[in-house]
Amino acid sequence: MSYLDKLLEGVEVEWKTLGEVGVFTYGYAAKAQDVGDARFVRITDINSDGKLIPVDAKFVDVSDENKRYLLRKNDIIMARTGATYGKTMIFEEDYPAIYAGFLIKLSFDKHIINPKYYWHFAQSNFFWIQANKLVSGGGQPQFNANVLKEIKMPIPCPENPKKSLEIQAEIVRILDTFSELTAELTAELTAELTARKKQYEYYRDKLLNFNELPRGGVKWKTLGEVAEIKRGKRLIKSQLEETGKYAVFQNSMTPLGFYHESNVQADTTFIISAGSAGEIGYSNVDFWAADDVYYFVTPRNLKSKFLYYFLLIQQAKITGQVRRASVPRLSRTAFEKMQIPIPSPEEQARIVSILDQFDTLTNSISEGLPKEIALRKQQYEYYRDRLLSF
């Protein structure tokens, strides 16, 4: 922080409207018959992070009429309507492109504004607090050039353009570093998660493949023979609570709500039969199963967690039996005659112990991934607002 304090020490800042420092132009309204060599950049080509999505793009001709809509490297464009409205992108490509009419190109005097400095500002609360007050409502929010002209941004040392650009460049360097670190960490954690999932699935399939055993090495029975299949009981919406002791599962693995009673004991495997039909779950705590849930009451010689892991490797077969209608549905006949191996309780316990360790490791990475990303984004946002507040 001492470095930041020194960087910003004594810096005079003037908050100027974008209309004072920039020029805004709408893009090209493509025609159905347009075809050519320049990529046509549409609003749907920009994701929520302001990045260009590698999609099957439309291409248009660079005629004299639409040359003014050409994008050059480091040009800034912003989505002005739709789900991505306000998202700002720096065009970092080298190939010719033309931007669509639902985009606005922001042109700044390069002797006054560093384009990447503006990009970081456009992600900040300083931008969005102003923008949300000015943006038009209606069916879908949208910006226009007049709205942008009213937004103010901080210009350090406006009386000394050279010094101003030096400070802007240093702010960009610091914030780019945080952005790059977040991207690198995300890539590393994602790769680790993918590797662990593959490792987990390999050992799960290997441990639960009893077909290679000699005949008589393990008993096989139908699921309906070895376990009691029960259906949950419906609760109406008014009976559900926002918080409570017992989760209520209805048509997905996300609880529909909570209830003050349970109808299924802990250590139970269950299957969703409508909505997200075919999804397989296991709960180590008591819960309430609604009428779109089948759950299994297992005998002493069949561990419920072993059943859960075995059903996971049968997931494709089970979901293949789902009736696709307005609401996907799965009947109990889709799995009650499914053959399941019954090894000794000791062997079941050994397999469950191994798979639990892989599951814990995979989930810890999976849960840690969004947490780490969120922390890095918070760190970036903190320094961005700190630097832009001067």
Side-chain angles (χ1 to χ4, degrees), residues 39 41-42 45-47 50-54 89 91 93 95:
R39 174 171 175 171
V41 180
R42 302 157 296 186
D45 295 346
I46 300 175
N47 68 14
K51 301 295 184 182
L52 194 62
I53 303 170
M89 182 186 81
F91 187 72
E93 312 300 334
Y95 52 74

Side-chain angles (χ1 to χ4, degrees), residues 360-378:
T360 299
L361 177 61
T362 302
N363 286 333
S364 67
I365 297 172
S366 182
E367 291 170 6
L369 177 61
K371 182 179 179 182
E372 284 295 329
I373 293 172
L375 286 173
R376 292 298 172 267
K377 284 185 175 178
Q378 288 173 12

Side-chain angles (χ1 to χ4, degrees), residues 197-214:
K197 280 183 175 178
K198 287 182 178 179
Q199 190 179 36
Y200 160 67
E201 289 167 1
Y202 170 81
Y203 281 106
R204 183 191 66 197
D205 295 352
K206 190 79 172 175
L207 288 165
L208 294 171
N209 181 12
F210 294 93
N211 292 314
E212 297 177 359
L213 291 177

Side-chain angles (χ1 to χ4, degrees), residues 111-127:
H111 300 296
I112 299 175
I113 302 294
N114 180 322
K116 200 63 182 289
Y117 174 76
Y118 172 78
W119 183 87
H120 284 293
F121 167 73
Q123 319 305 311
S124 73
N125 289 329
F126 301 114
F127 174 88

Side-chain angles (χ1 to χ4, degrees), residues 59-228:
F59 289 83
V60 299
D61 183 42
V62 186
S63 64
D64 290 338
E65 176 189 356
N66 57 28
K67 275 185 178 178
R68 56 183 169 150
Y69 303 114
L70 271 174
L71 289 173
R72 294 176 175 79
K73 192 175 179 65
N74 293 325
D75 276 350
I76 297 172
I77 52 176
M78 186 193 77
R80 66 183 180 93
T81 189
T84 57
Y85 88 96
K87 300 304 177 186
T88 302
M89 182 186 81
I90 293 185
F91 187 72
E92 297 177 333
E93 312 300 334
D94 285 324
Y95 52 74
I98 287 175
Y99 62 106
F102 285 108
L103 296 168
I104 298 177
K105 179 180 174 182
L106 297 89
S107 302
F108 298 104
D109 185 336
K110 65 180 181 180
H111 300 296
I112 299 175
I113 302 294
N114 180 322
K116 200 63 182 289
Y117 174 76
Y118 172 78
W119 183 87
H120 284 293
F121 167 73
Q123 319 305 311
S124 73
N125 289 329
F126 301 114
F127 174 88
W128 282 100
I129 288 173
Q130 297 178 77
N132 287 331
K133 291 178 181 178
L134 297 168
V135 71
S136 62
Q140 57 181 357
Q142 62 177 337
F143 284 116
N144 59 43
N146 291 329
V147 168
L148 277 174
K149 288 177 181 177
E150 298 300 317
I151 292 176
K152 293 183 177 181
M153 71 176 293
I155 311 295
C157 296
E159 75 289 347
N160 186 341
K162 183 180 178 181
K163 179 67 173 178
S164 178
L165 288 173
E166 289 176 357
I167 294 174
Q168 291 177 44
E170 184 60 10
I171 290 174
V172 167
R173 187 192 68 78
I174 294 170
L175 296 180
D176 278 354
T177 299
F178 281 112
S179 295
E180 290 165 7
L181 287 174
T182 299
E184 289 174 8
L185 178 66
T186 301
E188 289 174 7
L189 290 174
T190 301
E192 178 72 9
L193 177 60
T194 300
R196 289 292 171 258
K197 280 183 175 178
K198 287 182 178 179
Q199 190 179 36
Y200 160 67
E201 289 167 1
Y202 170 81
Y203 281 106
R204 183 191 66 197
D205 295 352
K206 190 79 172 175
L207 288 165
L208 294 171
N209 181 12
F210 294 93
N211 292 314
E212 297 177 359
L213 291 177
R215 187 173 179 83
V218 65
K219 294 180 180 179
W220 287 82
K221 291 190 176 183
T222 65
L223 187 52
E225 286 179 309
V226 74
E228 184 180 359

